[in-house]
Amino acid sequence: VSSHSSSSCLFVISTSLRNRPNIMSQFASYRGDDTVGLWVNVYDDMSCNNNATTAGAGSSSNGNVVVNVDDENHSRIITSAIPGLKPALWEHVVPQYTSDYDYLYFLDEDMMFDRSVFAFNQFRWAVGRVDAVMATPKIIRMSAAGAGEQLRVRTR
């Protein structure tokens, strides 16, 4: 496990096996940014445990949690297969896996966090500026157009 630079953040998301590719695609927008990591829990896929034997060098395992380090892209991805509701995952979110990060950002699987739609660096800057212990972005309507309108994220 490599040390991350100041103001690093770990996205923590529990998702279904069906939605995992969407989560991984969004995280790919942070490729090359070694201040951001991802913990993706696939609550309905117990085969995730098999990654501990096939993930290769740069990986470690402890029960249902597998830590993968992608040296080429400077990305740290933690995968787990902890069934049940989110509090079951939260029990495993311990310093052993999170001590390299300044912030843990818990997201629901239906939240967009791709850099093209979420100004995460701006949000992280605002949180750091006010030294917030707990924060979430404010979601506002771009227009009063009604059903199907787009949303944007604003930090204040």
Side-chain angles (χ1 to χ4, degrees):
V1 175
S2 61
S3 174
H4 289 97
S5 60
S6 178
S7 194
S8 61
C9 180
L10 178 66
F11 292 118
V12 181
I13 303 171
S14 191
T15 190
S16 65
L17 181 61
R18 179 181 55 82
N19 195 44
R20 185 179 188 277
N22 177 46
I23 300 300
M24 299 308 289
S25 174
Q26 289 187 68
F27 183 67
S29 71
Y30 294 88
R31 183 166 283 131
D33 184 345
D34 65 352
T35 68
V36 180
L38 174 68
W39 182 324
V40 60
N41 180 62
V42 182
Y43 56 78
D44 61 352
D45 180 21
M46 294 314 293
S47 70
C48 196
N49 292 331
N50 296 334
N51 290 343
T53 58
T54 60
S59 301
S60 63
S61 175
N62 181 6
N64 290 342
V65 180
V66 179
V67 179
N68 297 305
V69 179
D70 180 349
D71 291 327
E72 181 180 329
N73 296 311
H74 308 287
S75 299
R76 182 171 179 204
I77 300 174
I78 302 170
T79 58
S80 59
I82 301 162
L85 301 175
K86 286 183 249 183
L89 168 62
W90 298 344
E91 291 178 16
H92 295 270
V93 179
V94 295
Q96 174 184 355
Y97 305 114
T98 62
S99 62
D100 287 346
Y101 297 95
D102 297 317
Y103 298 98
L104 303 178
Y105 191 58
F106 293 85
L107 293 102
D108 288 336
E109 69 178 324
D110 61 348
M111 292 178 69
M112 297 287 296
F113 67 101
D114 187 293
R115 277 190 168 168
S116 66
V117 295
F118 177 44
F120 179 70
N121 286 337
Q122 180 185 7
F123 173 70
R124 185 167 44 180
W125 174 83
V127 168
R129 185 160 187 234
V130 298
D131 197 25
V133 174
M134 203 171 183
T136 188
K138 180 178 181 181
I139 300 175
I140 61 170
R141 298 180 199 280
M142 287 183 72
S143 69
E149 65 194 47
Q150 294 182 337
L151 298 177
R152 66 183 173 101
V153 177
R154 183 175 80 185
T155 57
R156 285 213 261 171

